[in-house]
Amino acid sequence: MQNFDRLYTEYKERFILIASSYLRDKAQAEDLVTDCYMHFWENRKEICASTDNIPAYILGMVRYKCIDALRERQQHLQTQQQIYQIGLRNIRENLAALEECDLAKVLFRKEVEEIFRSRLAEMPELSAQIFMANRFENQTYQEIAQRYNISVRKVTREIQQCLKLLREDLGDYLPLAIILFPHFLDK
């Protein structure tokens, strides 16, 4: 116990200074060094039996914990950057769509509904029935599969194909269609 107190007092501030120089966060460095000392204390019998230089052992733990903390911070920053890039890309796309969109066309709800009806009428009967069962009758993919005696995977493919065709047909009307029929064009 007395040796631990001496070890703690003599090296703690040095270890914090080293960790802080890498992490640039004194509070995190203090927590990290404290964790290393706690790990040492909890496993002191095994550690003392396997090493002669306890300060070097603890310093090694500090080093590895700094590496882990920096990798975690790096991953966090990369994720934030990806989210930022996605947000920026969405803003650019929306801005471009608004700049290119002929708002006079978008004001006509009946035209959007006509495109919608026309595309459904042109689809194979089963495809249209599957799509309408899902979007108008709120049936799940499983319920539709049982109703038409087909696989859930086929239901998924059919709905995806219908959505693709509707999005293509709607073109400039797509922003209005999303507002008017949000549950028909999502997924």
Side-chain angles (χ1 to χ4, degrees):
M1 181 69 169
Q2 192 175 26
N3 287 340
F4 180 78
D5 289 340
R6 185 182 58 75
L7 179 70
Y8 184 80
T9 307
E10 188 175 336
Y11 290 99
K12 178 187 171 211
E13 287 305 317
R14 290 185 214 176
F15 293 158
I16 290 172
L17 188 62
I18 291 167
S20 185
S21 71
Y22 290 107
L23 300 176
R24 305 280 188 231
D25 181 341
K26 185 165 179 157
Q28 185 181 16
E30 288 173 351
D31 290 345
L32 187 142
V33 169
T34 300
D35 288 347
C36 291
Y37 273 105
M38 286 177 52
H39 176 77
F40 169 74
W41 180 253
E42 291 168 355
N43 300 287
R44 65 189 175 280
K45 291 179 183 174
E46 296 86 16
I47 294 170
C48 289
S50 65
T51 186
D52 294 334
N53 192 343
I54 303 301
Y57 181 86
I58 295 174
L59 181 59
M61 283 195 298
V62 169
R63 176 180 173 261
Y64 287 115
K65 285 193 174 279
C66 283
I67 289 170
D68 289 344
L70 289 172
R71 284 187 177 145
E72 184 178 324
R73 193 180 299 168
Q74 178 184 24
Q75 182 64 40
H76 178 73
L77 289 173
Q78 286 173 339
T79 302
Q80 283 182 323
Q81 185 178 19
Q82 289 171 348
I83 291 169
Y84 171 80
Q85 291 297 327
I86 290 168
L88 191 57
R89 184 175 47 241
N90 287 341
I91 288 170
R92 285 183 185 140
E93 289 171 359
N94 290 340
L95 188 57
L98 280 173
E99 289 172 348
E100 293 175 13
C101 184
D102 182 359
L103 291 178
K105 291 180 182 177
V106 175
L107 295 175
F108 301 102
R109 179 186 176 115
K110 287 188 178 190
E111 288 183 28
V112 172
E113 290 175 346
E114 184 56 39
I115 292 169
F116 202 75
R117 281 191 203 103
S118 173
R119 175 44 86 177
L120 284 175
E122 292 173 9
M123 289 180 191
E125 185 176 343
L126 181 61
S127 298
Q129 288 173 346
I130 289 170
F131 184 82
M132 289 188 297
N134 180 253
R135 302 306 162 125
F136 295 100
E137 299 170 20
N138 295 321
Q139 289 188 350
T140 66
Y141 287 18
Q142 184 66 39
E143 291 169 333
I144 295 167
Q146 289 174 350
R147 178 178 174 181
Y148 293 102
N149 197 26
I150 57 176
S151 70
V152 173
R153 187 176 174 131
K154 179 159 177 66
V155 171
T156 303
R157 280 194 314 265
E158 291 295 329
I159 290 174
Q160 288 173 343
Q161 183 62 27
C162 291
L163 288 172
K164 179 183 174 199
L165 294 171
L166 284 168
R167 287 185 190 113
E168 289 173 1
D169 286 356
L170 289 168
D172 283 346
Y173 294 97
L174 189 58
L176 180 61
I178 290 170
I179 292 168
L180 297 174
F181 313 105
H183 59 285
F184 296 126
L185 296 173
D186 61 359
K187 295 183 188 173

